[in-house]
Amino acid sequence: MSDDRPRAIRIELSARTFVLALVSIAAVWLAVRLWNVALVLIVALVLVGTFDPLVAWLERRGFGRGRALALIFLLIAIGIAAIFALTIPPLVDQLQRIIDTAPAERRKLVEWLQHYKLGVPVANTVRAVPLDDLVKRAGNWLLAASGDILGAIGYGVTTLFLALYLLADPGRAKSLLYLLVPRHQHIKLSRILLEMKVIVGGYMRGQVITSVAIAIFTFGLLTAFHVEDALALAMFAGLTDVIPFIGGYLASAPAIVSVSGQGTAALLIVAAAMFLYQEFESRILVPRVYGRTLRLSPAVVLVALLVGGTLLGILGALLALPVAAGLQMIVRETRVELPGEHIDDAVRARDHKAERIYEQLSEGAPVDEAVAIAERLAETIKANENDSRKVSAELTAIAQHKDD
């Protein structure tokens, strides 16, 4: 006789599992609540990686670290002020001219469209556009967004001061980081920090290349059409180009408007030229420049930009490439085997040897000396990473020098 009574299912959770679940929930909650703090820290670290080589270069030429920092940020402030002084007034004048001439330009466009049978519906649509209402809505939007703009400025100032603190006293911040990481992971940490400098430097060089390229192109194009504010518009194009996806199109709008008074042919030529350049930059220049400097494939570059822009908008798109390159580098340097990949046994043996030598050399040493030892070993591995035998010989020589 079978027992048809329902069986009770018992689910037992150990105390350890329960604690881990609570910790995981708390970690997710903190990550959601403090994501803006994490962004501030990431941007500050990008600034540190960008300016630290310049500070070191000035230090080698006799400048104290404080004076080097003051000089760099003074030059940056002067440069930003000069750029805004050259670009903002012409852009404001151009915007004012657009607002003043919009009714007349709309009337001309409607008259031109009405000459064509297929253009009549478009002409009716253009005629129905409420220009005065659009201007009023734009003003209201700017007023409503002023709070967000002030908040962004506040975060920017905080980020800048955090970067200044980390640059002014890098040893303390680095020592704290090493104290938080187990000793047997210090060599990996040193390799990661060393590679991070390369990534940030490559990212910033890529930004400079793409910005300078569009600035030169825009200046040459507008100069050919004898536009008075060609330099200012070119500088504006270079600034907005740092915004992935939409930056180039933001730069195109004032360039196109600047030749609108020279006839339809000039307007169409400039619009087509700027569009073709955006296609060239997004499909050829950006994947090649960032792919080589950040060791990212063109597909990864495009996907990273899409994900970053979708999650965090403009800021996410700006940080997408260095973050993607950093994550890929961390996976590589921590020797995580992804599906389809295999890590050479010689590389693992080299890492174990470096860790043993580091433990010998840093035994009883203060934190700052241990950091210096880890960085020296990491630089040795980096300089000879394609030749495991040479790395092994270099590490052996370092260990013997310590014993002597």
Side-chain angles (χ1 to χ4, degrees), residues 43 45-51 53 197-212 242 289-290 293-294 318-319 321-322:
V43 175
L45 292 175
V46 170
L47 292 177
V48 170
T50 302
F51 297 123
K197 288 184 179 180
V198 176
I199 288 172
V200 172
Y203 174 68
M204 298 308 296
R205 283 193 301 272
Q207 289 284 15
V208 171
I209 290 171
T210 56
S211 293
V212 170
V242 302
V289 169
Y290 289 116
T293 56
L294 304 185
L318 287 173
L319 296 175
L321 296 183

Side-chain angles (χ1 to χ4, degrees), residues 224-398:
F225 284 90
H226 306 287
V227 175
E228 294 181 0
D229 301 323
L231 179 60
L233 294 174
M235 295 174 68
F236 177 76
L239 287 175
T240 56
D241 191 68
V242 302
I243 305 174
F245 293 125
I246 65 171
Y249 297 101
L250 290 176
S252 301
I256 295 170
V257 172
S258 67
V259 298
S260 59
Q262 301 184 29
T264 305
L267 190 147
L268 292 176
I269 290 173
V270 172
M274 295 299 293
F275 174 77
L276 290 175
Y277 179 84
Q278 295 309 315
E279 290 297 305
F280 162 76
E281 181 181 283
S282 61
R283 298 182 185 276
I284 298 176
L285 185 60
V286 167
R288 288 183 178 274
V289 169
Y290 289 116
R292 290 177 181 176
T293 56
L294 304 185
R295 300 182 184 180
L296 295 173
S297 67
V300 173
V301 169
L302 295 176
V303 171
L305 290 174
L306 285 171
V307 172
T310 302
L311 293 177
L312 296 173
I314 292 175
L315 183 58
L318 287 173
L319 296 175
L321 296 183
V323 169
L327 292 176
Q328 178 177 276
M329 177 270 297
I330 290 173
V331 170
R332 183 177 67 249
E333 294 298 333
T334 52
R335 312 306 183 207
V336 176
E337 287 192 12
L338 298 176
E341 295 184 356
H342 175 70
I343 298 175
D344 192 354
D345 292 336
V347 173
R348 292 190 183 277
R350 181 195 69 190
D351 292 344
H352 291 317
K353 184 173 184 178
E355 291 169 3
R356 290 196 305 270
I357 292 174
Y358 171 72
E359 291 180 358
Q360 295 173 7
L361 298 179
S362 63
E363 185 178 0
V367 178
D368 54 345
E369 292 184 12
V371 170
I373 294 170
E375 290 179 342
R376 181 185 175 189
L377 293 173
E379 290 171 359
T380 300
I381 295 173
K382 174 66 178 176
N384 305 282
E385 61 182 347
N386 295 324
D387 190 344
S388 296
R389 288 181 298 180
K390 188 173 181 180
V391 172
S392 181
E394 292 283 346
L395 294 175
T396 301
I398 292 173

Side-chain angles (χ1 to χ4, degrees), residues 175-190:
S175 297
L176 177 61
L177 182 60
Y178 275 80
L179 284 173
L180 296 175
V181 175
R183 179 177 289 268
H184 67 277
Q185 299 289 344
H186 283 185
I187 298 296
K188 292 180 181 179
L189 176 60
S190 295

Side-chain angles (χ1 to χ4, degrees), residues 23-35:
V23 170
S24 300
I25 294 172
V28 172
W29 181 81
L30 283 175
V32 173
R33 298 290 296 180
L34 301 177
W35 68 268

